[in-house]
Amino acid sequence: MDTPTPTPSRTFLGRMSLPERRFVANALRTETVGGVLLLLAAVAALIWANVPGISDSYYTVGSFHIGPASLGLNLSIQHWAADGLLAIFFFVAGIELKRELVVGDLRDPKAAALPVIAALCGMAVPALVYVLVNTLGSGSMDGWAVPTATDIAFALAVLAVIGTSLPSALRAFLLTLAVVDDLFAIMIIAVFFTSDLNFAALGGALAGLVLFWFLLRREVHGWYVYVPLALVVWGLMYNSGVHSTIAGVAMGLMLRCSRREGESQSPGEHIEHLVRPLSAGLAVPLFALFAAGVPLSDKAIAQVFTRPETLGVVLGLVVGKTVGIFGGTWLAARFTKAELNDDLAWPDVLAVASLAGIGFTVSLLIGELAFADDPVLTSEVKAAVLIGSLIAAVLASVLLKLRNRKYRTLTDAEERDEDDDGIPDIYEEDKPDYHLRMAKIYEDRAAEHRRRAAEAAAATSEAASGSSAGADRPA
């Protein structure tokens, strides 16, 4: 009787390929800097909005209108930040998603299943938590989508502040979660927060997107072609009733992210490299500056934990995100027979899941859209996002610190490059040339130590001889 061949299991959170590791490292490095700026902008907004004597100016500046009214773009500074600057953020998100689908972790359906399921559960469970709290408390269901988002930049800023370094596999998992999270957040915004449609403007926006796609396929070059066209598409999309950030996503998805022979970067990677610092370092922090300024009096903070809408947001971020991502990951790994990397443990996944509860930028945006007709509730929901994100950050910091020594050991092993060829040693362990180079390095080191040992022995012998000669001299 033939014995059935066992199905080989896949490794979850295993080692990435070297090009993927380098891409993730570069992307997260920029996001970390942007996250620190985002954190500073949020703190500045809270100070500006709560310090007596200057708080009125915060709302005055935020509500100041500027722009051509004839084009339907006479917007407040706050709206320019939310609808204009965040379009840049979603443009980068579109490129990230396209790259993940073409050459990244999401290109293989089997490999993509686990992070996609984790991300979906990490959005569904917070929404269910919100709905449950507001069903029991007779609150508004309009904010169900607020706690579904993850802010990768803010999460990385927390890592930078607490001084821990996640192994590259965990960082890549967090980035993939955020990319899938952004995709579904975009879909939520497009489907549930589209107002009355202006079909003429929408048709113009779609025509502009078709032209954008055509120019890319014809390989027309020049920022002076694409930037004006992008602005026209954005303006038409804004006036169409569809949220204008959708224009940014659509244009990002159109860029080619696969490399051709002889290319060190695809056009999508090149443009992302140029635009990501603008998004992470300027667009998102400015949005935070004009979105995070909410009153945080004792009464306002107490209201966060007593009103069902705000309590649903806090519990959705802190409990829903953690339970959803960890539970979805565990179930997906169990049913796909994926084995966890031997160097990591399930508490590491739990820590990353709790870190994903930081839902700042997109949560604030959805909060504004969900309760646009109620400024007071909008402000309270924003406060709930801030408090929920803070609690999630503290919880994640505690869990990550407990494993920090292990993470540092893994990170040091990933980065070790003893032969100084620019490639980490763990990626060369199966190459004969690497071992020959290392043998030569160790032989040279051994020869150097033998030389030093001989010199030390000679010096010791000379000193001993000198001391003996001195002792033999007559007094």
Side-chain angles (χ1 to χ4, degrees):
M1 182 176 177
D2 293 334
T3 304
T5 303
T7 303
S9 59
R10 292 183 296 104
T11 301
F12 168 51
L13 295 179
R15 184 191 304 169
M16 295 181 294
S17 66
L18 183 58
E20 187 71 9
R21 183 181 183 276
R22 284 173 171 168
F23 174 83
V24 169
N26 291 333
L28 295 184
R29 190 177 299 114
T30 304
E31 290 290 351
T32 301
V33 175
V36 173
L37 293 176
L38 177 63
L39 182 60
L40 293 175
V43 171
L46 290 172
I47 294 173
W48 191 2
N50 286 277
V51 173
I54 64 172
S55 58
D56 290 343
S57 65
Y58 178 81
Y59 302 101
T60 301
V61 172
S63 60
F64 180 77
H65 280 63
I66 188 173
S70 59
L71 299 178
L73 296 175
N74 185 27
L75 311 178
S76 67
I77 297 296
Q78 186 174 0
H79 276 115
W80 276 112
D83 293 281
L85 292 177
L86 278 195
I88 301 174
F89 167 80
F90 279 106
F91 174 70
V92 174
I95 301 175
E96 285 180 338
L97 177 60
K98 177 68 172 289
R99 187 191 173 280
E100 287 291 324
L101 291 170
V102 174
V103 296
D105 290 340
L106 300 182
R107 72 185 184 281
D108 178 6
K110 291 182 179 179
L114 201 147
V116 169
I117 291 172
L120 284 174
C121 292
M123 299 186 77
V125 176
L128 289 174
V129 169
Y130 180 93
V131 169
L132 178 62
V133 171
N134 282 271
T135 298
L136 297 175
S138 301
S140 171
M141 296 295 176
D142 292 342
W144 64 269
V146 176
T148 61
T150 293
D151 194 310
I152 181 69
F154 216 128
L156 293 172
V158 170
L159 293 178
V161 169
I162 66 175
T164 190
S165 57
L166 287 180
S168 58
L170 285 176
R171 285 179 173 256
F173 181 58
L174 182 61
L175 179 60
T176 304
L177 283 176
V179 170
V180 178
D181 196 290
D182 286 341
L183 168 64
F184 287 99
I186 292 159
M187 294 173 64
I188 288 171
I189 291 170
V191 174
F192 294 98
F193 298 106
T194 295
S195 56
D196 295 334
L197 290 176
N198 180 331
F199 288 100
L202 181 59
L206 293 176
L209 289 173
V210 170
L211 177 59
F212 191 90
W213 175 85
F214 178 77
L215 293 174
L216 287 173
R217 291 300 170 271
R218 300 292 294 179
E219 299 189 359
V220 175
H221 300 287
W223 65 267
Y224 45 83
V225 174
Y226 293 101
V227 172
L229 179 58
L231 292 174
V232 170
V233 171
W234 173 85
L236 289 168
M237 190 69 77
Y238 177 84
N239 283 286
S240 72
V242 177
H243 199 270
S244 55
T245 53
I246 304 301
V249 176
M251 288 183 280
L253 286 171
M254 291 180 186
L255 295 175
R256 177 170 62 83
C257 291
S258 57
R259 298 180 186 180
R260 294 175 179 171
E261 187 176 353
E263 287 184 339
S264 60
Q265 282 185 319
S266 67
E269 290 173 319
H270 175 67
I271 293 173
E272 181 186 23
H273 180 73
L274 295 176
V275 179
R276 186 186 286 274
L278 178 63
S279 169
L282 180 66
V284 176
L286 280 178
F287 166 76
L289 181 64
F290 291 104
V294 294
L296 289 180
S297 62
D298 294 341
K299 181 180 178 181
I301 294 175
Q303 190 89 339
V304 167
F305 296 98
T306 55
R307 185 160 184 165
E309 294 88 351
T310 51
L311 181 60
V313 169
V314 173
L315 292 178
L317 289 172
V318 178
V319 179
K321 272 289 185 182
T322 304
V323 172
I325 292 175
F326 180 81
T329 304
W330 186 83
L331 287 173
R334 181 178 179 85
F335 287 106
T336 60
K337 295 183 171 61
E339 295 182 356
L340 187 64
N341 183 351
D342 291 337
D343 292 329
L344 299 171
W346 283 106
D348 300 316
V349 180
L350 181 66
V352 172
S354 64
L355 189 64
I358 301 173
F360 189 76
T361 304
V362 179
S363 289
L364 290 176
L365 175 62
I366 294 177
E368 289 184 354
L369 297 173
F371 301 104
D373 297 330
D374 191 340
V376 174
L377 185 52
T378 298
S379 181
E380 292 174 351
V381 166
K382 286 182 178 181
V385 170
L386 296 176
I387 291 172
S389 296
L390 177 62
I391 295 172
V394 172
L395 175 62
S397 298
V398 172
L399 294 175
L400 291 169
K401 276 296 184 182
L402 293 175
R403 297 277 290 170
N404 195 41
R405 180 176 296 179
K406 177 68 172 179
Y407 294 157
R408 290 197 180 281
T409 300
L410 293 175
T411 302
D412 290 343
E414 288 177 354
E415 295 176 352
R416 186 177 298 115
D417 182 18
E418 290 192 77
D419 59 344
D420 294 323
D421 66 343
I423 300 175
D425 294 339
I426 59 173
Y427 289 97
E428 298 186 291
E429 292 173 346
D430 58 345
K431 298 179 180 179
D433 289 348
Y434 163 75
H435 293 287
L436 292 174
R437 287 198 303 273
M438 291 305 301
K440 179 68 166 56
I441 290 171
Y442 286 131
E443 287 168 1
D444 291 344
R445 289 178 182 175
E448 175 65 16
H449 283 294
R450 283 192 290 269
R451 184 186 65 79
R452 291 187 180 185
E455 290 178 352
T460 301
S461 176
E462 184 177 341
S465 299
S467 174
S468 175
D472 291 342
R473 290 180 192 143

